[in-house]
Amino acid sequence: MGQPATTHPGVSFVMPVYNEAAYIDDAIESVLAQQYPGERELVVVLGPSTDGTTEKVQSRAAADARIRIVENPQLSIPLGLNLGIRAAAHEVIVRVDAHTEIEPDYTAIGVATLQRTGAASVGGLMVATGRGRLQSAVARAYNHRLGLGGGAYHGAASEGPAESAYLGIMRREALVAVGLYDEGLKRGEDWELNLRLRDAGHLVWLDPALRVTYWPRSTWAKLARQFHATGIWRGELVRRLGGRNPLRYFAPPALVVSLALSAVLLVLQLTGVVAGLPSLLLSVVHLGPALYLLVLLALLVVPSSGPRFADRFTFARVIAVMHVSWGAGFVRGFVLGARDAVDTSRIES
């Protein structure tokens, strides 16, 4: 007979880190404060930061034997995650990010759900949080159906089988069996990994009792760069996997294409190149951008967009930046491929 299942298996938290000086201490504290009786370690996969993050992590590791450092000079998140998983000492892998904080009972709930369901990957809800007007507006957009297209882990959801798992509490054996994260991807690695887990017959599970505080980008430039890079890699995934991508991912690129066509047609109409009946018939191209503008205007009067007009205006701008940046990136990635595109939103500028 085999040994009975361990009630509290050892857990290795794997955290890729690069230029997160403003958030890294709180992220590490949330991991060390876990109310979980099993053995624990935190593997920090450290990129060559330039903002003091490296020194903070080294100081924490010198003071606490539960923290180990693995160097990640190439800055690739999937590569870094794989380095961390290979270096991990325990059978349960909990992915955490330096921009996140987990509740004290997160690990205990997640491991219990992993054992109860037999899943290979369990995830919870991303609860975006912000400081100041812009980051708070970005957080509202993350949590809003218009912002990120209604993915289950961005809002209210019921427990059950899922398409993907945010961050993930995972069985190391299953990860190794499917080849770990795809190191050829720079974004979208979670979704693609969970797709391979499901294809291999494993269960991916959403448990809304798991809540993760996420701190989004806090400047316009970083927000645009992050979403542009994410869109590029989603376009690359569509090139690779075609229709296996959910339909919601096609909405932002459709918006960008309609905006471009509308702009070209408007110039042709204003210059008289297109006139008369053809102009009238082709004007249907303007319908999409006009409807989108109405949606943005509607956000200015919706209380959930912010208590004051300035907050609602910022929220509407955030939604537009997310959609257009992501959609433009998707078109580029789908047409040209992702090539070596990277997310530069953590680079100080």
Side-chain angles (χ1 to χ4, degrees):
M1 293 179 61
Q3 294 296 316
T6 304
T7 304
H8 301 293
V11 170
S12 293
F13 299 88
V14 177
M15 179 188 292
V17 175
Y18 172 66
N19 276 358
E20 298 287 6
Y23 301 97
I24 187 62
D25 283 324
D26 288 339
I28 289 176
E29 281 301 323
S30 77
V31 171
L32 298 182
Q34 288 299 289
Q35 298 170 355
Y36 181 74
E39 292 185 11
R40 292 173 287 154
E41 66 170 356
L42 170 59
V43 181
V44 178
V45 186
L46 190 59
S49 298
T50 58
D51 67 344
T53 297
T54 297
E55 291 76 14
K56 285 191 173 189
V57 172
Q58 290 173 339
S59 176
R60 299 297 298 259
D64 195 321
R66 293 173 295 176
I67 302 174
R68 295 196 290 125
I69 296 174
V70 173
E71 300 292 341
N72 180 25
Q74 295 190 41
L75 291 181
S76 166
I77 291 178
L79 174 59
L81 288 167
N82 287 348
L83 289 171
I85 292 169
R86 292 187 182 105
H90 299 302
E91 62 185 277
V92 174
I93 303 297
V94 179
R95 176 178 174 176
V96 286
D97 281 349
H99 251 254
T100 63
E101 296 165 31
I102 53 179
E103 297 296 320
D105 59 358
Y106 179 85
T107 306
I109 293 174
V111 172
T113 301
L114 202 68
Q115 295 177 328
R116 168 171 57 86
T117 62
S121 177
V122 171
L125 300 183
M126 172 197 282
V127 183
T129 305
R131 304 185 184 105
R133 177 175 294 160
L134 176 55
Q135 193 180 40
S136 295
V138 176
R140 283 194 294 273
Y142 266 82
N143 297 328
H144 196 282
R145 187 170 184 84
L146 274 179
L148 290 181
Y153 60 78
H154 293 297
S158 300
E159 182 175 10
E163 167 193 318
S164 186
Y166 175 55
L167 296 181
I169 298 171
M170 302 167 284
R171 298 180 189 273
R172 178 176 177 170
E173 182 181 19
L175 298 182
V176 172
V178 299
L180 301 179
Y181 288 90
D182 184 342
E183 296 178 5
L185 298 176
K186 299 295 188 293
R187 304 287 293 179
E189 70 280 351
D190 285 337
W191 184 88
E192 193 275 339
L193 172 66
N194 283 285
L195 174 65
R196 281 187 284 118
L197 285 171
R198 289 188 286 115
D199 284 348
H202 295 291
L203 181 64
V204 176
W205 194 264
L206 171 68
D207 185 351
L210 295 168
R211 300 174 66 84
V212 180
T213 298
Y214 172 78
W215 296 94
R217 301 300 185 267
S218 57
T219 71
W220 291 107
K222 289 181 179 181
L223 177 67
R225 294 203 302 267
Q226 178 194 19
F227 273 75
H228 185 68
T230 303
I232 288 174
W233 283 99
R234 179 54 59 179
E236 172 67 27
L237 284 171
V238 169
R239 281 170 63 101
R240 297 184 186 189
L241 303 171
R244 303 198 65 186
N245 290 265
L247 287 176
R248 67 178 182 272
Y249 292 134
F250 296 88
L255 169 66
V256 167
V257 171
S258 69
L259 287 171
L261 292 175
S262 178
V264 170
L265 179 60
L266 183 61
V267 170
L268 295 177
Q269 289 173 325
L270 292 175
T271 57
V273 175
V274 176
L277 182 59
S279 176
L280 182 62
L281 294 175
L282 289 173
S283 290
V284 70
V285 171
H286 299 312
L287 183 60
L291 290 174
Y292 186 72
L293 180 60
L294 288 176
V295 170
L296 294 180
L297 291 174
L299 293 177
L300 298 180
V301 298
V302 176
S304 63
S305 302
R308 296 175 296 179
F309 179 81
D311 297 323
R312 296 194 295 270
F313 181 69
T314 301
F315 178 74
R317 288 180 63 196
V318 165
I319 291 290
V321 168
M322 283 182 169
H323 289 169
V324 174
S325 299
W326 201 98
F330 180 103
V331 172
R332 172 186 160 183
F334 179 73
V335 174
L336 302 176
R339 301 180 182 178
D340 293 324
V342 296
D343 177 9
T344 61
S345 63
R346 288 188 175 90
I347 297 175
E348 296 300 312
S349 60

